[in-house]
Amino acid sequence: MAEQRQREKWATRIGLVLAMAGNAIGLGNFLRFPGRAVRNGGGAFMIPYFIAYLFMGIPVMWLEWAQGRFGGRYGHGTTPGMFHRMWSHPISKYLGVLGIFIPTVIAIYYTYVESWSLGFAFLVPYKILTGELVVQRGISVEEVLRPFETFRGSYIVAKEVGFWTIPSLWAYFFFLVTFGLNIWVLWRGIARGIEALAKLVMPLLFLFAIALMVRTLTLGQHEGGSPLEGLGFLWNPNFQQAFSLQTGPRVWLEAFGQIFFSLSLGMGAIQCYASYLGPNDDVMLTGLSTTAANEFAEVVLGSSIAIPAAVTFFGLKQTQQIVEKGIFFLGFTSLPAIFSFLPAGALLSFVWFLLLFFAGFTSSVAMAQPMLAFLQDELGWTRQKAVAMLGIFWFVSMHLCIFANAAIDVLDFWSGSFGAPLFALIEVIVMMWIFGADKMWEEMHRGAQLQAPRFFYYAAKYLTPLLLLGVFIGFALQPFIGATRDKTIEGVSLSALPVAWMARLLMIALLAVQCYLIYLASQKWKNVGAQRGE
């Protein structure tokens, strides 16, 4: 019976904090955040960003930690079982399916994108050293970036056949290496795998990021400007743009969305990690430590590398134009081009892309863990059997993203932009309105070393659901409002419509299988309840 199984535990407190930080800190901190900030006016973006952090990020993080620990006390490491415990309605467990569906879908495409950074960590420095990716000063920005963008494009798509994309051999090789590393860590379990990875990788990630930040901030004056101009653009509040009727709504939506995605809220992974805590282990201080570590990585480190470096060499106007080409263009094209100008440019590129790989690696194992926990806790599978079965599905599914890149946008829209805010809204309603705000507040403070101000009680009960509802509606309507006639609702070209439907059918099949597995698990829950007289 699931509730009597001996579950794994975190070995140390520092290991837990680092693993949780690794879950939250990902590619979005170093790629998505700088891009969103530049595109939305820098200082204008930071105003709603910190409001969202205070009123949505911290309360939901505490709630998810408390819910996860609560579920772990009853042998449940995922939200279907947790919802079942908190709300006796038959539909509750099926609402909880989103807590295993969303992270599984994210893992499918995220791991492939993560593999790009590993490949670039080795190939870009090599090409800089051999002179293939070295540019001269005094030429236009487009000419500076062109060889780096050409390399990025040929690495990911060596050949196109209709809507199919054939990657380079290097891209497929590093995909295999990345996937193998993920499986190896997951096979080893919570303490010997995920926690050990976090203890090794997270200090290196912060060390690399600090080193790159220091190097960026000491660049001095160049053609475009200086690092201080980049920081000034980000940190000087721009109230006019933030509260303009024309530009404000987009700025607020994207700032709220960034906090949401940056902290991995509404994805089920935080609850899963927290379920391996003891029943009286603190969640208030450790939860706040997680958010603080994520914000340090994003706001202090992430904002002090890409933005100041690009502004220094290209100027603010050109940097804004670069960002409009996408988050990958900034991190995978402009940054290595800038590094190629500098002494030890190959080394700087290696450190940058390895930093991105470490950030992605800790997040991808976190996204895979909820489904593994469900198979172990609810169906009684061994860790090795769960990893093997999930690994087969994971490996096969990723090939849709490899050979049809448009699938990445479809999977990302439904799991991240649409699914995550929807699920966060559902879980906050379940915890604060159905399970009960008073009981949830008490659960949060069980064994707590930190007493939250009462203000967060009212924020979590009233304000947070309204903010989440706004984020969900905004992201749900965004594709329809901004769609053009040659785009699907996910933003991919109509010429890639077969790919979009293949990705949708994959998600529908996955959701159906997971609902059936929840049904099987619920039969065990009934037997357990009957034996206990519940």
Side-chain angles (χ1 to χ4, degrees):
M1 292 179 291
E3 299 188 13
Q4 295 180 342
R5 295 183 71 249
Q6 184 65 38
R7 303 182 75 244
E8 296 181 82
K9 298 290 183 183
W10 299 105
T12 61
R13 172 67 65 85
I14 186 63
L16 164 65
V17 172
L18 289 174
M20 277 290 195
N23 170 26
I25 298 172
L27 297 175
N29 297 81
F30 299 99
L31 294 178
R32 193 177 192 272
F33 172 76
R36 291 291 186 271
V38 170
R39 192 169 74 173
N40 290 282
F45 178 84
M46 299 308 293
I47 296 170
Y49 178 89
F50 283 115
I51 291 175
Y53 174 66
L54 181 64
F55 292 106
M56 184 173 69
I58 294 176
V60 177
M61 177 67 76
W62 275 336
L63 289 175
E64 292 194 351
W65 271 77
Q67 185 185 47
R69 186 188 60 182
F70 173 86
R73 194 158 69 241
Y74 297 98
H76 299 300
T78 50
T79 51
M82 294 173 190
F83 279 24
H84 169 73
R85 270 284 167 183
M86 290 183 149
W87 184 22
S88 60
H89 195 283
I91 199 176
S92 63
K93 55 184 175 289
Y94 294 108
L95 290 176
V97 71
L98 293 176
I100 55 176
F101 171 77
I102 290 171
T104 304
V105 172
I106 292 174
I108 292 172
Y109 69 86
Y110 191 93
T111 309
Y112 180 51
V113 175
E114 168 197 332
S115 73
W116 299 348
S117 58
L118 182 62
F120 276 49
F122 291 95
L123 296 180
V124 170
Y126 171 76
K127 289 184 176 293
I128 290 177
L129 290 172
T130 58
E132 295 182 55
L133 286 178
V134 175
V135 296
Q136 301 297 320
R137 294 176 182 268
I139 59 178
S140 69
V141 173
E142 291 77 13
E143 291 175 303
V144 169
L145 298 180
R146 186 176 295 118
F148 292 87
E149 179 59 13
T150 299
F151 168 72
R152 183 176 78 93
S154 63
Y155 177 89
I156 299 171
V157 182
K159 184 179 180 182
E160 287 188 272
V161 181
F163 53 77
W164 298 107
T165 53
I166 312 301
S168 66
L169 291 178
W170 280 118
Y172 195 77
F173 169 76
F174 283 107
F175 150 70
L176 293 176
V177 173
T178 301
F179 177 72
L181 289 172
N182 275 268
I183 291 296
W184 179 69
V185 168
L186 292 168
W187 187 277
R188 291 174 60 83
I190 296 298
R192 296 193 311 118
I194 296 175
E195 183 175 347
L197 171 69
K199 287 180 176 179
L200 171 66
V201 166
M202 293 308 294
L204 288 174
L205 182 150
F206 281 106
L207 178 64
F208 288 173
I210 291 172
L212 287 171
M213 179 188 71
V214 171
R215 183 65 188 95
T216 300
L217 297 182
T218 56
L219 286 173
Q221 187 75 30
H222 285 270
E223 293 88 344
S226 70
L228 291 180
E229 292 179 35
L231 292 178
F233 169 70
L234 184 66
W235 291 109
N236 289 324
N238 185 339
F239 293 98
Q240 182 177 357
Q241 184 173 348
F243 293 97
S244 165
L245 292 177
Q246 183 177 4
T247 60
R250 169 179 160 175
V251 173
W252 283 72
L253 177 62
E254 296 217 4
F256 278 30
Q258 178 60 30
I259 280 290
F260 191 82
F261 297 122
S262 176
L263 293 173
S264 298
L265 302 175
M267 298 180 184
I270 292 172
Q271 291 97 319
C272 183
Y273 272 21
S275 73
Y276 297 101
L277 290 168
N280 295 308
D281 286 346
D282 168 75
V283 299
M284 298 298 292
L285 184 60
T286 47
L288 189 61
S289 299
T290 300
T291 61
N294 179 80
E295 290 309 294
F296 177 75
E298 180 161 288
V299 174
V300 177
L301 300 179
S303 67
S304 301
I305 299 174
I307 297 174
V311 171
T312 298
F313 280 90
F314 304 135
L316 178 57
K317 184 176 180 180
Q318 289 282 4
T319 299
Q320 291 173 313
Q321 293 174 358
I322 288 170
V323 165
E324 289 298 330
K325 297 180 180 180
I327 60 172
F328 294 125
F329 197 92
L330 179 66
F332 281 81
T333 300
S334 64
L335 260 291
I338 291 169
F339 293 147
S340 70
F341 282 133
L342 304 174
L347 177 61
L348 292 172
S349 294
F350 173 75
V351 171
W352 168 246
F353 287 115
L354 199 60
L355 162 69
L356 294 182
F357 174 70
F358 286 162
F361 192 6
T362 54
S363 296
S364 61
V365 296
M367 292 299 109
Q369 179 57 33
M371 191 62 209
L372 295 177
F374 179 85
L375 295 174
Q376 289 180 266
D377 295 336
E378 315 301 357
L379 300 184
W381 290 16
T382 65
R383 179 78 180 185
Q384 288 67 34
K385 179 181 177 181
V387 172
M389 296 305 293
L390 176 62
I392 293 171
F393 169 78
W394 193 2
F395 181 79
V396 172
S397 300
M398 277 193 290
H399 281 75
L400 179 60
C401 299
I402 295 172
F403 292 103
N405 287 169
I408 295 176
D409 293 325
V410 179
L411 297 177
D412 179 64
F413 171 74
W414 290 107
S415 61
S417 297
F418 186 89
L422 171 63
F423 185 55
L425 177 62
I426 291 171
E427 65 186 15
V428 170
I429 291 174
V430 168
M431 284 186 271
M432 296 302 290
W433 289 91
I434 297 176
F435 182 70
D438 291 336
K439 288 198 294 183
M440 202 65 218
W441 188 257
E442 181 182 352
E443 179 64 33
M444 285 167 54
H445 288 90
R446 178 194 295 269
Q449 301 177 36
L450 172 71
Q451 179 72 32
R454 189 68 177 177
F455 139 80
F456 281 105
Y457 171 92
Y458 298 105
K461 186 173 183 179
Y462 300 106
L463 186 55
T464 299
L466 291 176
L467 293 176
L468 287 170
L469 180 62
V471 171
F472 168 66
I473 293 174
F475 276 108
L477 294 180
Q478 208 172 24
F480 297 97
I481 295 173
T484 57
R485 293 183 178 181
D486 60 343
K487 298 285 185 179
T488 70
I489 61 171
E490 299 94 348
V492 302
S493 170
L494 286 177
S495 62
L497 189 59
V499 175
W501 274 110
M502 283 187 283
R504 294 168 192 161
L505 290 173
L506 172 66
M507 288 186 287
I508 292 170
L510 173 63
L511 187 63
V513 169
Q514 289 177 331
C515 285
Y516 176 68
L517 293 177
I518 290 173
Y519 168 76
L520 295 180
S522 69
Q523 302 308 302
K524 291 187 176 183
W525 300 340
K526 288 181 181 179
N527 293 334
V528 171
Q531 292 176 15
R532 295 185 175 182
E534 298 179 358

